[in-house]
Amino acid sequence: MSRRRFIAGNWKMNLDRAGAAGLISALRAKLPHDPGFDVAVFPPFPYLELAVNACAGSCISVGAQNCSHELKGAFTGDVSATMILDLGARRVLLGHSERRHVFGETDVIIAKKMATALGIGLHPILCVGETLDERKAGQTSDVVLRQLREGLAPVAAAQLASVTLAYEPVWAIGTGVNATPEQAGEVHSILRNALAASHGRATADSMRILYGGSVTPDNAASLLAVPGVDGALVGGASLDASKFVPILEAAQR
Ligand code: 13P
């Protein structure tokens, strides 16, 4: 089963208004109308609308980096999936390791966000990944499988087509130490086999699993060559067109 590749840029809490606009126009200039794979950017909330407008008519889709578990109400500081959709963004990252480990989000809250986001038609990317201590303790598979199971718990079979997965080992994020192609391939297989057991082989084969964690122009091609690695969720290297464009080019080959 061939899955369309997907390269996403998670800007995290970076760039300003001019930087966001400049980056998108630089990407648009390099990308054909249909490069043959999916491209998305995930700007900070204040620049979502700017990004939606700047990406209009291009192949680049736009998503938020997080959303509230509730659709509206007294949740000071939170942003709802409805608001994200209202601005024209179509995607959302859920369970990113920084949300889990810096902000203490649990599998339970991430599952609620998943249900809320899917319920109104956003397309989530569910991120899973182990810490270095968990890897050293031989718990990688237990951790990612628990995050997968809990994150997908509220998802109906018919909704799975709207969900993308991302394996982002915590120890590889922002460290310059990427998972090797073998390490990425091993965990992607674990995830896909679990999906096959829970949802059937055809569904498992249709779902995209991205790799994230210190993806650069230097390692993108070797990571994307791994069977079962369907794309990349890029942090730091997505902030600079001179680094993100070569990663997009690697996906095209
Ligand atoms: P880096 O590419 O900066 O390691 O970040 C990865 C990431 O967290 C993407 O969501």
Side-chain angles (χ1 to χ4, degrees):
M1 144 99 48
S2 82
R3 295 173 295 267
R4 192 172 160 94
R5 277 181 170 165
F6 184 3
I7 307 293
N10 173 11
W11 296 358
K12 308 192 179 184
M13 199 171 70
N14 292 297
L15 300 177
D16 56 14
R17 182 195 289 267
L23 176 53
I24 290 172
S25 77
L27 297 179
R28 283 194 74 143
K30 293 285 182 186
L31 278 166
H33 188 67
D34 180 6
F37 58 96
D38 291 339
V39 184
V41 292
F42 292 81
F45 286 126
Y47 307 132
L48 266 186
E49 190 169 23
L50 173 162
V52 167
N53 291 335
C55 291
S58 80
C59 65
I60 308 169
S61 65
V62 178
Q65 297 170 15
N66 182 29
C67 71
S68 174
H69 61 293
E70 294 287 349
L71 284 178
K72 69 182 173 80
F75 299 97
T76 301
D78 239 357
V79 173
S80 82
T82 329
M83 295 165 185
I84 294 164
L85 201 64
D86 191 30
L87 290 182
R90 292 286 173 266
R91 301 184 183 276
V92 66
L93 298 181
L94 294 179
H96 189 277
S97 87
E98 286 142 24
R99 299 305 315 174
R100 293 179 190 267
H101 296 287
V102 182
F103 297 97
E105 287 189 12
T106 60
D107 287 319
V108 171
I109 200 84
I110 292 160
K112 283 190 184 166
K113 291 177 180 209
M114 177 65 81
T116 306
L118 278 174
I120 63 149
L122 280 180
H123 295 251
I125 298 182
L126 174 66
C127 306
V128 302
E130 82 288 2
T131 64
L132 189 56
D133 284 347
E134 289 164 340
R135 173 164 281 266
K136 284 183 176 161
Q139 295 166 347
T140 298
S141 147
D142 288 351
V143 170
V144 299
L145 290 179
R146 187 201 72 233
Q147 293 171 340
L148 179 74
R149 188 177 61 246
E150 304 269 320
L152 294 185
V155 182
Q159 292 175 313
L160 270 181
S162 300
V163 180
T164 302
L165 300 175
Y167 169 53
E168 297 208 308
V170 179
W171 48 270
I173 296 179
T175 58
V177 182
N178 59 286
T180 63
E182 293 72 26
Q183 288 170 323
E186 186 187 4
V187 178
H188 283 231
S189 294
I190 290 170
L191 292 169
R192 204 176 301 282
N193 288 338
L195 284 169
S198 57
H199 294 85
R201 184 46 73 181
T203 299
D205 284 345
S206 68
M207 285 193 74
R208 293 185 294 191
I209 309 177
L210 316 183
Y211 167 77
S214 296
V215 175
T216 65
D218 292 335
N219 60 29
S222 62
L223 286 161
L224 291 171
V226 177
V229 173
D230 303 309
L233 180 51
V234 186
S238 76
L239 296 171
D240 178 346
S242 73
K243 294 188 180 142
F244 198 46
V245 167
I247 295 172
L248 296 168
E249 286 167 351
Q252 209 159 19
R253 286 195 293 271

